[in-house]
C-alpha cells in the first residue's frame, strides 16, 4: 500500500471508530468528522454541489454516515432519531439524488 492509501485507510478507520463510539451524551464534533470524511472521500461534497443538490446540515451528516456504510441502528443512535426515521431519511435522500440525476 502506498503512503496516500495508507493515510486514507487510517483516517477512515479512525473516523468509523469515532462514529461507533458516539452515544447520547457524547458531543459530536461534526467539523472534525467532515474533515476526516473529506480526506477519505475528497470529491463527495463537490459532486453534490456540481449536481446542484441542496442538502441541509442534517442531511449532510446522514449522507456521510451512509457513505461510510454505518448500519441503521448506529445512524439512529448518532443522529438521535428512531431507526424507522433512518429508513425515511434514506428514502428522501435517495429521492433527492435521483431527481438531480434525472435533470443532469
Amino acid at each position: 500500500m502506498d503512503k496516500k492509501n495508507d493515510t486514507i485507510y487510517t483516517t477512515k478507520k479512525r473516523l468509523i471508530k469515532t462514529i461507533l463510539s458516539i452515544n447520547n451524551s457524547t458531543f459530536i464534533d461534526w467539523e472534525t468528522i467532515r474533515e476526516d470524511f473529506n480526506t477519505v472521500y475528497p470529491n463527495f461534497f463537490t459532486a453534490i454541489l456540481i449536481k446542484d443538490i441542496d442538502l441541509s446540515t442534517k442531511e449532510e451528516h446522514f449522507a456521510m454516515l451512509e457513505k461510510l456504510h454505518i448500519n441503521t441502528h448506529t445512524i439512529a443512535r448518532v443522529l438521535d432519531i428512531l431507526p424507522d426515521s433512518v429508513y425515511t431519511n434514506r428514502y428522501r435522500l435517495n429521492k433527492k439524488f435521483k431527481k438531480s440525476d434525472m435533470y443532469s
Side-chain angles (χ1 to χ4, degrees):
M1 215 186 279
D2 65 6
K3 187 168 176 80
K4 183 178 179 182
N5 285 338
D6 192 37
T7 302
I8 290 171
Y9 175 78
T10 305
T11 303
K12 185 174 182 178
K13 192 173 174 182
R14 182 181 65 231
L15 180 59
I16 291 172
K17 186 176 179 182
T18 300
I19 289 167
L20 293 177
S21 69
I22 293 172
N23 60 42
N24 291 343
S25 63
T26 305
F27 169 76
I28 303 172
D29 184 3
W30 285 107
E31 289 300 316
T32 303
I33 290 173
R34 185 170 177 147
E35 287 173 14
D36 287 346
F37 182 86
N38 285 334
T39 300
V40 177
Y41 299 105
N43 298 321
F44 183 75
F45 287 109
T46 305
I48 289 173
L49 288 173
I50 289 171
K51 290 184 178 188
D52 200 28
I53 300 172
D54 187 30
L55 297 181
S56 69
T57 303
K58 288 188 178 199
E59 287 172 329
E60 285 182 5
H61 298 166
F62 186 84
M64 284 190 286
L65 296 171
E66 281 287 304
K67 183 69 176 175
L68 290 167
H69 303 288
I70 304 298
N71 71 47
T72 300
H73 292 284
T74 304
I75 292 173
R77 188 183 74 237
V78 169
L79 298 178
D80 197 23
I81 59 177
L82 295 172
D84 285 345
S85 296
V86 173
Y87 296 118
T88 303
N89 285 330
R90 189 176 289 137
Y91 171 78
R92 289 179 182 158
L93 197 61
N94 284 333
K95 196 172 173 182
K96 276 190 172 186
F97 284 115
K98 287 179 182 169
K99 184 177 180 182
S100 75
D101 287 344
M102 190 184 317
Y103 295 111
S104 50

